[in-house]
């Protein structure tokens, strides 16, 4: 009964601590949708790591056997924010800590990383930009350029003209190409 309680507490603690990281509030959450599979994977990874540490115990042979079996599995997922990969590794560390009974290390690590991520993500919205190439075909290069520059200033886009291809004859179209950075 004591073993059952210990195992349950360790696995639950691993799941709860990693869930705190996986579902942390983010400033960009309304503009960048989170992939629920990534959060679920982070939580499951912590629980699996905790269980693996309980299985391994002090046996090097078991550890190498588990490593060999786990190396056969490939992990691929579409993650838009590279920090989520790091949170996955932190979840793994939390699971490892709770699995060996070092719950205080898991709790401290969780809160330390939460504070660190809060600090790192605090001004993320203002710093994230998206770059694109804008190509406009037109018959009147001058008017089109004036309209585009006015639009760039109004929306505070950083734009750099890359190419201008003037129309050769009457009725033909030219082309203006800009590299535009948007917040």
């Amino acid at each position: 009964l004591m073993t059952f309680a210990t195992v349950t507490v360790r696995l639950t603690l691993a799941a709860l601590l990693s869930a705190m990281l996986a579902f942390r509030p983010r400033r960009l959450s309304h503009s960048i949708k989170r992939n629920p599979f990534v959060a679920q994977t982070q939580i499951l990874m912590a629980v699996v790591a905790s269980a693996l540490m309980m299985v391994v115990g002090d046996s090097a042979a078991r550890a190498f056997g588990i490593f060999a079996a786990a190396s056969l599995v490939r992990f691929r997922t579409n993650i838009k924010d590279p920090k989520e990969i790091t949170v996955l590794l932190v979840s793994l560390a939390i699971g490892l800590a709770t699995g060996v009974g070092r719950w205080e290390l898991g709790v401290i690590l969780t809160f330390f990383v939460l504070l660190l991520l809060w600090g790192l993500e605090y001004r993320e919205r203002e710093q994230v930009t998206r770059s694109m190439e804008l190509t406009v075909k037109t018959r009147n290069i001058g008017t089109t350029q004036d309209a585009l520059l006015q639009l760039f200033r109004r929306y505070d886009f950083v734009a750099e003209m890359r190419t201008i291809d003037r129309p050769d004859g009457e009725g033909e179209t030219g082309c203006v190409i800009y590299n535009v950075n948007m917040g």
Side-chain angles (χ1 to χ4, degrees), residues 8-180:
T8 303
V9 166
R10 288 179 182 182
L11 294 177
T12 303
L13 191 58
L16 289 175
L17 292 175
S18 61
M20 289 174 63
L21 288 171
F23 297 119
R24 70 190 182 279
R26 295 183 62 185
R27 291 191 59 188
L28 289 177
S29 62
H30 55 84
S31 61
I32 297 177
K33 291 197 133 213
R34 285 188 177 176
N35 185 344
F37 300 127
V38 174
Q40 293 166 0
T41 302
Q42 291 167 347
I43 296 166
L44 287 171
M45 185 68 81
V47 172
V48 167
S50 182
L52 287 175
M53 288 310 292
M54 288 184 273
V55 168
V56 168
D58 290 334
S59 172
R62 278 188 264 167
F64 282 117
I66 289 172
F67 176 74
S71 66
L72 298 175
V73 178
R74 286 186 152 176
F75 178 73
R76 293 183 186 177
T77 187
N78 184 13
I79 298 177
K80 293 182 180 171
D81 185 357
K83 285 189 305 293
E84 295 303 323
I85 297 169
T86 305
V87 172
L88 182 67
L89 292 174
V90 171
S91 295
L92 185 64
I94 290 168
L96 294 173
T98 60
V100 296
R102 297 290 312 271
W103 61 268
E104 69 282 354
L105 177 61
V107 170
I108 292 169
L109 177 62
T110 300
F111 285 106
F112 181 81
V113 171
L114 277 173
L115 285 172
L116 184 61
L117 285 170
W118 179 81
L120 291 172
E121 294 173 346
Y122 181 72
R123 294 194 40 149
E124 192 172 70
R125 182 177 200 152
E126 296 90 30
Q127 296 171 347
V128 173
T129 62
R130 181 177 180 139
S131 183
M132 65 181 234
E133 185 176 276
L134 175 66
T135 303
V136 179
K137 294 188 181 221
T138 181
R139 289 194 172 102
N140 189 335
I141 297 287
T143 306
T144 302
Q145 271 191 292
D146 292 340
L148 285 173
L149 291 174
Q150 184 179 9
L151 190 67
F152 297 151
R153 278 191 299 271
R154 183 184 323 157
Y155 292 103
D156 200 27
F157 294 158
V158 177
E160 178 184 334
M161 186 173 62
R162 296 293 179 153
T163 307
I164 187 166
D165 182 21
R166 300 194 182 277
D168 293 331
E170 190 69 30
E172 293 184 16
T173 60
C175 183
V176 181
I177 300 175
Y178 279 92
N179 184 26
V180 182

